[in-house]
Amino acid sequence: MKSLILACLAAHVAGHAIWQDLWVNGVDKGSTCIRMPSSNTPVTNVAGNDVRCNAGTKGVSGKCAVAAGDTVTVEMHQQPGDRNCKNEAIGGAHYGPVLVYMTKVSDASTADGSTGWFKIFEDGWAAANKGAADNDYWGVKDLNACCGKMDVKIPSDIAPGDYLLRAEVVALHTAGQAGGAQLYMSCYQLTVSGSGTATPATVKFPGAYKSSDPGIKVNIHAALSTYTVPGPAVYSGGMTVAAGKAVCKNKSVRGLGWPL
């Protein structure tokens, strides 16, 4: 019995993951501008400050330079430093949406994430008509098919300056009860150039999500007729990807028979 419990725990932890690398217009910046979480353990309390940039994270010296309108690629893997496309980016059937937010700050290396955030990317859910929603299309399945990478456009009209970019997976495999959703997020430190003047409407973390939200508390092991992605709508200058339709550009693609 003890060995069975340990095996189950090991499998559960193996499904956890960390956002850990960034590409700018196809150039690999590695982990030079990320606030790397100390472990791949998820955040489950949406009402705590850890929901901003993950538990125990703090500013780093590096900032990645991007221009408004550029494409950045956020990259997730289960273990630090593992970029092997043979391994799922986030395993254990941790299905759910992939979301990206930004917040304008005075200094990305010291900002605490308490400023307002706007959503710039969303890859959520689409029905596949195969019974339980586990069998539907999800942003996480697209992420796994693309070797843990998601292309995200930086809105072309935002003002220049420092920003935090927050990449997130909301894993729903245990989300049938309040507090069951597992949130995996990391913050990247950016300096954005350009001449934009837009000031998007924002939400705060914590505050943007509630444990009772239909996109946070949901049983994906039953059939879904609809799914409401957590948080605000994507900003007009951002991008929404239809789950199951993501295209992997210039990336190694896992042989998962995707779409699943």
Side-chain angles (χ1 to χ4, degrees), residues 17-19 43-46 50-54 74-76 90 96-101 117 119 121-124 139-140 143 150 152 165-171 181-188 203 205 208-209 215-216 227 229-232:
I18 303 174
W19 295 101
V43 173
T44 57
N45 178 16
V46 299
D50 287 349
V51 79
R52 293 173 181 167
C53 290
N54 214 319
V74 291
E75 184 175 347
M76 168 179 268
I90 178 168
V98 178
L99 312 172
V100 179
Y101 294 81
W117 297 82
K119 188 189 289 183
F121 178 88
E122 179 177 292
D123 184 343
V140 162
L143 185 70
M150 277 285 183
V152 179
L165 182 144
R166 176 182 179 274
E168 176 181 43
V169 159
V170 181
Q182 296 184 357
L183 280 59
Y184 300 85
M185 77 290 292
S186 290
C187 288
Y188 300 86
V203 296
F205 284 106
Y209 303 160
I216 297 289
Y227 174 73
V229 175

Side-chain angles (χ1 to χ4, degrees), residues 38-174:
S38 59
S39 76
N40 62 4
T41 301
V43 173
T44 57
N45 178 16
V46 299
N49 288 342
D50 287 349
V51 79
R52 293 173 181 167
C53 290
N54 214 319
T57 55
K58 59 183 180 180
V60 296
S61 60
K63 301 178 186 178
C64 288
V66 303
D70 280 352
T71 295
V72 300
T73 305
V74 291
E75 184 175 347
M76 168 179 268
H77 296 284
Q78 293 187 44
Q79 300 297 333
D82 178 13
R83 304 176 85 175
N84 189 336
C85 294
K86 293 181 180 180
N87 302 323
E88 287 185 314
I90 178 168
H94 282 36
Y95 303 139
V98 178
L99 312 172
V100 179
Y101 294 81
M102 293 181 72
T103 182
K104 194 173 191 308
V105 296
S106 59
D107 185 344
S109 67
T110 60
D112 64 2
S114 61
T115 43
W117 297 82
F118 56 100
K119 188 189 289 183
I120 66 166
F121 178 88
E122 179 177 292
D123 184 343
W125 166 88
N129 299 316
K130 295 181 180 179
D134 305 71
N135 302 320
D136 289 341
Y137 303 117
W138 289 99
V140 162
K141 292 186 180 182
D142 292 342
L143 185 70
N144 279 334
C146 292
C147 191
K149 303 181 182 74
M150 277 285 183
D151 289 339
V152 179
K153 179 187 175 184
I154 302 298
S156 59
D157 59 354
I158 60 173
D162 276 15
Y163 287 81
L164 295 179
L165 182 144
R166 176 182 179 274
E168 176 181 43
V169 159
V170 181
L172 302 170
H173 56 298
T174 57

